Amino acid sequence: MKKRYFLTVSTLAVLALTSASVMAQDNTFKIGLILPMTGQQATTGRQIEAAARLYMAQNGDTVAGKKIQLIVKDDTSVPDVTKRLAQDLVVNDKVNVLAGFGITPSALATAPIATQSKTPQVVMAAATSSITQASPYIVRTSFTLPQAAVALADWAPKNGIKKVVTLVSDYGPGIDAEKYFKERLTFNGGQITEALRVPLRNPDFAPFLQKVRDLKPDALFVFVPSGAGAAVMKQFLERGMDKAGIKLIGTGDVTDDDQLNDMGDGALGVVTSHHYSTAHPSALNKKFVEAFGKANKGLRPNFMAVGGYDGMRVIYEALRITKGNGGGDALLAAMKGQIFESPRGPMFIDAQTRDVVQNIYLRKVEKKDGQLYNVEFDVIKDVKDPGKTK
Ligand code: VNL
């Protein structure tokens, strides 16, 4: 009699515990945000985390009856670590969405986990064209290097730049930038006189820049990842390349808003092409820049921040569309085709490619109110990733 009573109570207790935890589980929506928070790409992690938190502060942490939980993990931009963290977030934390991914190798290392677990993977930073093809569960809110580079290759020959040396980080996005810039510049009657590649880790630009000086092209086209631009600029100026008549051009990664204001007046006049500038003159962007600065001791949001902010928008909206009931496949379907105004301008997620379609701006570094900005002077509207048509 006694024993039976005991069993009943403990069974009830177990049942109560289980349903409590099931309920807690049901009411939380978990986003596993994997970013480089330390190491060479730490500024990318800092920008994206700050933007994700700003989005949540502005839009609340409850959507369709679910409480949003952001779980931030530092992968130090080592792809094996990214992969292990992604696995752990899916298996143990049971996240609903994986997001972040500072560099291409990290995004690619996670792709098989997204596919196997049917978990949407929102790529907020990494920008090699092929990333979205690595898993049908990948959606991208950053940009692609071909998207940005082609616009500059159309601008350059019309502005007296015919002979160009390219200098890129030797991995996915750099190789994309080199290839698509060259293809389009050559098509436009220009010429690449030398293509140089520097290692991603601890690059020393000095010997490469010396070579460029000797080659004396009209311009040096540069792609380096966010965070490395200031070092290139410094060494470019130290070698007097600008005085030797060599122009510095590149995708906007090199005049990254996170660093630009500290690059000094030597950066004035540098022309780049990109999808986002802190100086983008829209009402929405002005509000974004102000709120971001306020929440982060005056920090300027860069293109990484906007990728993170819009990534959160895509996730929130997918949750709203699926009324909080969707699994990975339903969420993914609700991410495809989203169209909205971002601080960067209008953008949408192409339903076929799951990649971002957006305006690409030509910008020139100028001083405004004593600060250096990438000031937009031309726009190519609704640019699809040229890498997808190959
Ligand atoms: C990548 C592309 C990373 C562009 C970047 O900064 C960037 C990438 C960290 O795909 O690895 O500016």
Side-chain angles (χ1 to χ4, degrees):
M1 194 64 179
K2 243 185 180 167
K3 195 175 176 193
R4 193 159 164 200
Y5 173 76
F6 173 76
L7 266 179
T8 311
V9 169
S10 68
T11 309
L12 275 174
V14 167
L15 273 174
L17 266 177
T18 316
S19 62
S21 71
V22 163
M23 273 173 63
Q25 182 89 16
D26 277 348
N27 282 325
T28 359
F29 184 88
K30 295 183 184 173
I31 303 170
L33 187 62
I34 311 179
L35 294 169
M37 299 307 300
T38 55
Q40 203 172 301
Q41 262 73 44
T43 57
T44 291
R46 181 181 57 163
Q47 286 272 353
I48 294 178
E49 184 187 4
R53 296 208 184 280
L54 176 64
Y55 190 89
M56 291 180 73
Q58 290 176 331
N59 295 278
D61 62 358
T62 307
V63 179
K66 301 268 179 171
K67 179 116 170 121
I68 312 275
Q69 190 189 345
L70 194 64
I71 308 174
V72 180
K73 299 280 181 190
D74 177 12
D75 70 359
T76 68
S77 79
V78 174
D80 284 346
V81 178
T82 321
K83 185 171 187 178
R84 182 170 52 70
L85 290 172
Q87 192 117 37
D88 197 53
L89 284 165
V90 165
V91 173
N92 296 321
D93 295 295
K94 308 210 167 8
V95 294
N96 302 86
V97 172
L98 290 163
F101 312 102
I103 59 168
T104 290
S106 294
L108 292 177
T110 305
I113 295 167
T115 306
Q116 281 154 25
S117 64
K118 298 183 188 295
T119 308
Q121 179 185 349
V122 179
V123 174
M124 296 169 160
T128 301
S129 173
S130 64
I131 287 175
T132 42
Q133 282 148 330
S135 166
Y137 286 87
I138 291 179
V139 168
R140 172 156 43 198
T141 59
S142 53
F143 75 111
T144 79
L145 265 305
Q147 203 174 38
V150 160
L152 193 64
D154 282 337
W155 174 85
K158 288 188 234 149
N159 289 274
I161 296 170
K162 296 268 155 73
K163 285 192 173 155
V164 180
V165 173
T166 56
L167 174 64
V168 303
S169 290
D170 192 5
Y171 77 121
I175 290 158
D176 266 3
E178 179 192 280
K179 174 169 182 254
Y180 283 85
F181 183 81
K182 177 182 180 172
E183 228 171 68
R184 186 64 78 102
L185 187 81
T186 311
F187 176 79
N188 288 331
Q191 191 191 346
I192 300 295
T193 51
E194 184 86 51
L196 306 169
R197 295 179 182 178
V198 303
L200 171 64
R201 307 276 172 202
N202 308 309
D204 176 12
F205 301 109
F208 295 97
L209 290 174
Q210 192 52 51
K211 191 155 186 203
V212 176
R213 226 202 124 130
D214 299 341
L215 288 163
K216 279 205 176 65
D218 299 324
L220 172 66
F221 168 90
V222 174
F223 166 79
V224 289
S226 180
V232 174
M233 185 69 75
K234 184 163 177 277
Q235 295 187 28
F236 184 85
L237 296 171
E238 274 172 8
R239 289 198 148 52
M241 316 261 290
D242 53 335
K243 298 205 175 66
I246 303 167
K247 290 200 169 66
L248 180 66
I249 58 173
T251 56
D253 312 70
V254 72
T255 54
D256 183 352
D257 274 300
D258 189 79
Q259 298 185 315
L260 177 62
N261 206 25
D262 298 320
M263 289 185 193
D265 287 357
L268 286 168
V270 171
V271 171
T272 55
S273 53
H274 229 204
H275 58 295
Y276 179 68
S277 164
T278 308
H280 179 65
S282 70
L284 182 66
N285 185 51
K286 282 185 182 134
K287 270 208 295 205
F288 171 66
V289 172
E290 194 181 306
F292 189 92
K294 215 165 172 184
N296 299 283
K297 301 188 179 119
L299 185 69
R300 251 192 215 189
N302 68 357
F303 64 98
M304 292 302 185
V306 95
Y309 192 76
D310 294 331
M312 289 298 283
R313 193 275 182 198
V314 166
I315 297 167
Y316 265 52
E317 189 61 20
L319 187 52
R320 208 169 282 133
I321 293 168
T322 54
K323 300 189 167 58
N325 300 318
D329 284 310
L331 285 167
L332 185 81
M335 289 177 182
K336 293 180 188 175
Q338 282 193 33
I339 173 162
F340 56 98
E341 189 192 354
S342 149
R344 72 187 85 180
M347 66 178 266
F348 72 92
I349 304 297
D350 186 313
Q352 262 77 53
T353 62
R354 290 162 281 101
D355 220 334
V356 54
V357 179
Q358 59 192 335
N359 294 347
I360 296 296
Y361 306 88
L362 286 155
R363 315 97 49 84
K364 183 186 267 177
V365 178
E366 286 176 15
K367 204 171 235 180
K368 282 203 316 190
D369 307 323
Q371 312 234 349
L372 297 179
Y373 285 102
N374 294 296
V375 177
E376 296 165 0
F377 64 86
D378 203 357
V379 56
I380 300 98
K381 293 209 165 133
D382 303 329
V383 181
K384 281 191 172 199
D385 171 31
K388 296 297 184 294
T389 55
K390 302 263 145 171

